[in-house]
């Protein structure tokens, strides 16, 4: 009598949620300092002071101005400020009318998919991938097709992607810097991707969109460069969120960018507005729209994530773990010490280590370690990772 | 190549949006004080001081605490505070686990519909009705069935509703206090509705849900009483929003209440969680979840709406207009002076009066006057309404 699919989605066990709940109860049991919880992607860095300053200033304005409805696309001044910031950084020429403000990246991606899907359309995701992609694609009536990343480096595998492309392909979703692997796709690979897509567009006689999910765009390490994908491939829809760059995950604020050069751009933008309407979005939260307007050029505080990354990557590789060197985001992707990643994460729990098995992301044999944590968690965890390695190496196993 | 339905929804002319845009340009042209804009439902009353105080206090807390993710259902403390407030007011015994926090009423209703719909299910709306109901029902795969309210009073017409009920009826959506008519359904009528639904449930052998859309629950005048519907009919899902009662329409904060007495309550609640997930909602905005926790018993400032209502209703009826006396919400429902409400609202524009034709709400011949405006707008508008009446009475027409 109810919607069975929604019931199953609501009831579905989620490794990440279960680990998080386990962590809470375990911390209550043995003390938070004794549990090394790497399960979540909740930023450990505080929001910049500028966010608080902006919010305090805004709250002094008339209530109707800061808490009232904005147009469905978002306040024009907010969108103009974001367009100007993108133009300064990426040498583009966007306007407010190319942007649609959303309730965070999940809304951005869900709306973008709904805007372009027609029945039977295929959306390609690159495994390992954020598991909600499949939920949003299937809920919109699309088909989720997995193409593997290159095993080992977890970079783009253009050949594998080409094998996955068909006449029914509506879009490819890319996420660089990547959750869960920490990989950042170099510009040369993205150019090759763009060329492949253009060739396939010609062959099939219709556009293929690239949905670029880029909440980690600003979180990269060393001299890693993040290419701005719409400048490489015209049919790119950017789905952004301020959750990670400004440490505002709970405030649900982001955007969809429909570049004017994209195929059918005006129609796609209208369909984005329609999809937002159909899904029950009215406008993005007004106060935080205006906070973003004031903080649009605020730098992301990457330093403490970088310290965590350096300590964790050095510590784990020294212990003999096989890790992908994270170039961006705040996840370290590590090979499990047995083929069954779930079994491995269960044994890790015995050492109070909470890490997410790669099965959640559509591949086998790896784990995601979210290092958006206090530094003390990493320092405490390394001896536990050593003991875990020792356990696997012990001859009695 | 894009989703045609989403494109049409995004491109669809909306009388309200068009009037609002016309009003903005007209105000720029002849001065804001010369345009009498009754087109919107944006609260004119400021948010209570307690909202600002709560937000300021929260912003002094650690950023991760006030801006971090909450569980998808909402922060447990927030939900517990809302449950306790409902229990105090309505003598119920809800818990945090009966509540699911949402990004406002639109999200609440969209999620509730998606949670219970199965293909071909019918959802009954009572005309005149908020036009987005149809959008959300159809997007979820349901069928929108209109049952008329009693013409003249715009109260529930139980016979007409009974005629609309079929074996395929999954739910009836009610909205009292009502947008657009200002009607409030008396308890005796709701009891009759409940009895009818129970009889039909027995006949069809399955539950029929009542989706109670009640953002105006606190905005009523004089000795009008708003019954709390779940205490009258067990299969009621409450969709609430703080947009109107706390004047926070842009902040997108509300909830779905699934009472434990509802049929399949645990399954419906899980499906609500699943629907939120499938539509791309992650959690309701965290800061405003916590603002609500602190303001859960804050009274709604009804006084200035009441003054507006009294002045407008008295003024218009004195001029000879036929009006439904508004018992709640902040809309006055008035018969147009010709059968074609659109033509009437066009002629009203000639007197700088911006009112919404009833065609937008699924009925003919009436207009909605949103009196959530400064008092000066009403005082200025009455002579214009007099001139409009005079124009229709002039023999040369």
């Amino acid at each position: 009598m109810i919607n069975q699919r929604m019931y199953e989605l609501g009831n579905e066990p989620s490794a990440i949620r279960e680990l998080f709940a386990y962590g809470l109860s375990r911390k209550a049991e043995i003390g938070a300092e004794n549990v090394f919880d790497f399960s979540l992607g909740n930023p450990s860095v505080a929001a910049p002071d500028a966010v608080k300053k902006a919010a305090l200033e805004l709250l002094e304005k008339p209530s109707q101005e800061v808490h009232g409805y904005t147009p469905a696309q978002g306040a024009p001044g907010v969108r103009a400020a974001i367009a100007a910031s993108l133009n300064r950084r990426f040498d583009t020429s966007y306007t407010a009318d190319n942007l649609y403000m959303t309730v965070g990246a999940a809304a951005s991606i869900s709306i973008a998919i709904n805007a372009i899907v027609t029945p039977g359309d295929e959306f390609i995701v690159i495994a390992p991938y954020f598991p909600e992609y499949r939920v949003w694609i299937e809920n919109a009536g699309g088909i989720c097709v997995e193409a593997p990343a290159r095993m080992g480096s977890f970079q783009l595998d253009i050949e594998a992607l080409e094998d996955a492309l068909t006449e029914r392909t509506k879009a490819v979703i890319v996420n660089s810097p990547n959750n869960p692997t920490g990989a950042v796709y170099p510009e040369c690979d993205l150019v090759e991707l763009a060329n492949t897509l253009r060739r396939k567009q010609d062959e099939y006689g219709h556009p293929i969109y690239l949905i670029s999910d880029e909440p980690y765009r600003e979180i990269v390490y060393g001299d890693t460069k993040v290419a701005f994908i719409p400048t490489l491939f015209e049919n790119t829809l950017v789905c952004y969120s301020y959750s990670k760059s400004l440490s505002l995950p709970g405030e649900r604020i982001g955007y969809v960018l429909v570049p004017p050069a994209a195929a059918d751009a005006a129609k796609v933008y209208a369909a984005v507005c329609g999809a937002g309407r159909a899904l029950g979005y009215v406008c993005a939260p007004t106060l935080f729209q205006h906070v973003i307007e004031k903080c649009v050029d605020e730098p992301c505080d990457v330093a403490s994530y970088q310290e965590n990354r350096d300590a964790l990557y050095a510590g784990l590789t020294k212990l003999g773990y096989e890790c992908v060197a994270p170039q961006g985001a705040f996840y370290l992707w590590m090979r499990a010490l047995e083929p069954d990643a779930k079994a491995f994460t269960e044994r890790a729990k015995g050492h109070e280590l909470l890490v997410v098995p790669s099965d959640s992301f559509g591949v086998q044999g790896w784990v995601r370690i979210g290092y958006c944590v206090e530094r003390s968690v990493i320092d405490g965890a390394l001896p536990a990772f050593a003991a875990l390695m020792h356990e696997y190496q012990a001859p009695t196993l």
Side-chain angles (χ1 to χ4, degrees), chain A:
Chain A
M1 272 307 294
I2 56 156
N3 185 320
Q4 188 63 20
R5 193 164 54 86
M6 297 303 175
Y7 170 68
E8 284 164 12
L9 281 177
N11 239 7
E12 193 176 57
S14 147
I16 298 177
R17 274 201 306 271
E18 282 177 4
L19 267 175
F20 177 61
Y22 171 83
L24 287 181
S25 72
R26 190 66 181 151
K27 285 169 195 171
E29 212 174 314
I30 64 168
E33 70 283 6
N34 298 312
V35 181
F36 312 114
D37 186 351
F38 298 101
S39 62
L40 287 192
N42 222 347
S44 51
V45 166
D49 290 342
V51 163
K52 180 176 167 183
K53 186 169 167 279
L56 293 175
E57 279 173 18
L58 287 162
L59 287 168
E60 295 307 321
K61 291 193 168 191
S63 156
Q64 293 88 333
E65 216 171 292
V66 286
H67 302 309
Y69 291 115
T70 71
Q73 308 94 299
V78 174
R79 291 182 285 129
I82 294 171
S85 172
L86 290 171
N87 294 341
R88 277 191 296 276
R89 290 177 59 198
F90 303 119
D91 196 22
T92 49
S93 46
Y94 301 132
T95 69
D97 292 341
N98 306 133
L99 289 156
Y100 175 90
M101 300 302 297
T102 65
V103 185
S108 299
I109 301 167
S110 171
I111 287 170
I113 292 168
N114 274 277
I116 59 174
V117 70
T118 62
D121 278 354
E122 294 170 354
F123 289 73
I124 298 177
V125 300
I126 297 169
Y129 62 97
F130 185 53
E132 300 305 277
Y133 290 163
R134 175 177 289 278
V135 174
W136 300 325
I137 291 166
E138 291 180 351
N139 188 61
I143 295 163
C144 181
V145 175
E146 297 181 13
R150 267 189 268 149
M151 277 299 139
S153 69
F154 295 93
Q155 288 290 334
L156 277 177
D157 182 336
I158 304 283
E159 264 182 48
L161 185 75
E162 195 163 343
D163 287 345
L165 285 162
T166 76
E167 283 213 331
R168 308 304 307 260
T169 304
K170 177 53 71 73
V172 178
I173 304 182
V174 294
N175 171 227
S176 168
N178 188 264
N179 173 13
T181 68
V184 176
Y185 301 156
E187 183 165 326
C188 56
D189 285 7
L190 291 166
V191 168
E192 198 186 335
L193 170 65
N195 289 337
T196 303
L197 291 178
R198 282 193 202 102
R199 189 157 40 76
K200 287 291 183 179
Q201 290 185 143
D202 289 345
E203 185 182 330
Y204 301 147
H206 65 73
I208 299 170
Y209 292 96
L210 203 57
I211 296 178
S212 180
D213 172 25
E214 44 192 66
Y216 300 100
R217 189 170 62 205
E218 281 72 30
I219 304 179
V220 287
Y221 307 112
D223 56 1
T224 306
K225 291 266 179 300
V226 178
F228 189 61
I229 300 181
T231 60
L232 304 177
F233 183 64
E234 47 287 355
N235 294 337
T236 300
L237 310 179
V238 173
C239 294
Y240 189 76
S241 155
Y242 294 92
S243 291
K244 315 296 177 172
S245 57
L246 293 182
S247 295
L248 295 173
E251 303 306 348
R252 316 307 307 139
I253 183 82
Y255 59 77
V256 179
L257 166 71
V258 181
D264 291 324
K267 281 194 164 182
V268 171
Y269 187 87
V272 161
C273 295
R277 187 179 163 196
L279 299 177
Y281 295 99
V282 171
C283 64
T286 304
L287 179 67
F288 276 88
Q289 284 194 47
H290 291 295
V291 167
I292 295 305
E293 183 175 7
K294 287 171 175 273
C295 299
V296 77
D297 288 323
E298 195 58 31
C300 173
D301 175 11
V302 176
S304 61
Y305 296 135
Q306 170 130 19
E307 282 173 31
N308 283 0
R309 177 197 91 132
D310 293 348
L312 187 64
Y313 180 69
L316 289 172
T317 49
K318 196 173 160 199
L319 290 172
Y321 285 98
E322 180 186 345
C323 302
V324 177
Q327 300 167 287
F330 37 52
Y331 306 105
L332 187 143
W333 192 241
M334 185 179 90
R335 195 188 285 275
L337 295 180
E338 59 180 302
D340 182 344
K342 280 189 188 167
F344 174 71
T345 58
E346 280 306 309
R347 284 180 68 177
K349 272 188 190 170
H351 298 269
E352 313 304 344
L353 292 165
L354 308 187
V355 298
V356 182
S358 58
D359 311 65
S360 299
F361 305 99
V363 299
Q364 306 295 313
W366 295 72
V367 296
R368 185 189 82 171
I369 306 178
Y371 56 81
C372 44
V373 295
E374 291 300 311
R375 172 59 188 268
S376 59
V377 179
I378 290 172
D379 295 338
L382 285 172
F385 276 112
L388 179 64
M389 173 64 86
H390 188 73
E391 188 182 306
Y392 272 91
Q393 288 169 338
T396 54
L397 277 178

